[in-house]
Amino acid sequence: MAHAYPDMPYFINPSLAFNDEKKHLAYQQANADLDALLQDETDVILKMVSINCILKTHLPYYYWVGFYCVNEGKLIVGPYQGTLGCLHIEFKKGVCGAVANTKQTMIVPDVHALSQGDEHIACDPNSQSEIVVPVLNQQKELIAVFDVDSSMTNSFNDIDKQYLESIMNRHFSSSPLSQTCLV
Ligand code: SME
């Protein structure tokens, strides 16, 4: 069931729930689209904008989707789709900062169960659940984190984790250290 809010920005659709079977089908189609589109692509930014668009096209519970790029020891917002994303995030702050520190994926079933401003940063009040995945380059250095918000709680599970970690590995692990997501 759609979780719409009267003040939801007109260009953003509320998240729609997907069961595990639908998730598998959607990610398989998204992977096929990404492989066809990015097979010869080497530019990090073009890969990021494509991943945002194709995943948001196939997965209706994706409310906000985007990358936070590593820059001088903190995170700055990179390519994304959705309402206004926070511009700067310290490594020790939020879910993104925690993932940047640990390089381990985090799934948050209910963002309001976390301490706001410390464990979670609410860029959009409609965000209810979240998954954040590390993005590593060829040298296993962190170049970004991939962040997805849903306007419903409990939207993300191990299926999302497996597919998203595979997508980040498939499309960024060949990126040399010189390639970052900073224009
Ligand atoms: N919720 C994230 C901040 C990014 S906004 O969701 C786009 C966090 O807690 O790090």
Side-chain angles (χ1 to χ4, degrees):
M1 178 181 122
H3 291 240
Y5 299 84
D7 58 348
M8 186 169 281
Y10 72 92
F11 66 95
I12 294 288
N13 295 318
S15 297
L16 293 172
F18 252 23
N19 62 31
D20 288 353
E21 181 183 1
K22 285 185 176 178
K23 283 190 176 186
H24 279 296
L25 290 173
Y27 277 116
Q28 287 159 12
Q29 183 56 58
N31 267 322
D33 292 354
L34 285 170
D35 286 350
L37 180 66
L38 301 179
Q39 59 182 343
D40 299 321
E41 187 53 63
T42 58
D43 186 278
V44 167
I45 295 290
L46 296 184
K47 290 178 181 179
M48 288 181 168
V49 297
S50 303
I51 287 168
N52 289 340
C53 179
I54 285 178
L55 287 176
K56 202 168 187 335
T57 299
H58 288 285
L59 293 147
Y61 52 100
Y62 278 39
Y63 173 75
W64 193 97
V65 54
F67 293 83
Y68 276 87
C69 303
V70 175
N71 180 39
E72 297 178 354
K74 66 177 183 178
L75 298 170
I76 60 173
V77 73
Y80 71 91
Q81 291 207 7
T83 53
L84 184 65
C86 305
L87 302 183
H88 303 269
I89 296 179
E90 299 299 328
F91 266 27
K92 57 184 178 295
K93 290 291 185 187
V95 184
C96 292
V99 171
N101 264 327
T102 64
K103 297 187 190 176
Q104 297 295 318
T105 297
M106 275 185 71
I107 295 174
V108 183
D110 178 0
V111 299
H112 297 104
L114 301 178
S115 63
Q116 300 307 302
D118 184 26
E119 295 173 327
H120 175 257
I121 297 169
C123 302
D124 182 317
N126 291 316
S127 171
Q128 301 294 328
S129 60
E130 186 166 13
I131 184 170
V132 181
V133 181
V135 182
L136 309 178
N137 64 12
Q138 210 170 50
Q139 292 81 17
K140 299 297 181 198
E141 296 285 332
L142 186 82
I143 59 172
V145 295
F146 179 69
D147 179 21
V148 190
D149 291 327
S150 169
S151 63
M152 298 184 302
T153 55
N154 297 300
S155 286
F156 307 101
N157 60 20
D158 278 346
I159 294 172
D160 301 283
K161 178 176 184 288
Q162 289 163 22
Y163 279 104
L164 290 177
E165 287 178 347
S166 170
I167 288 167
M168 299 307 141
N169 182 57
R170 186 175 185 78
H171 295 291
F172 296 105
S173 63
S174 60
S175 303
L177 189 56
S178 56
Q179 274 214 348
T180 69
C181 53
L182 304 176
V183 291

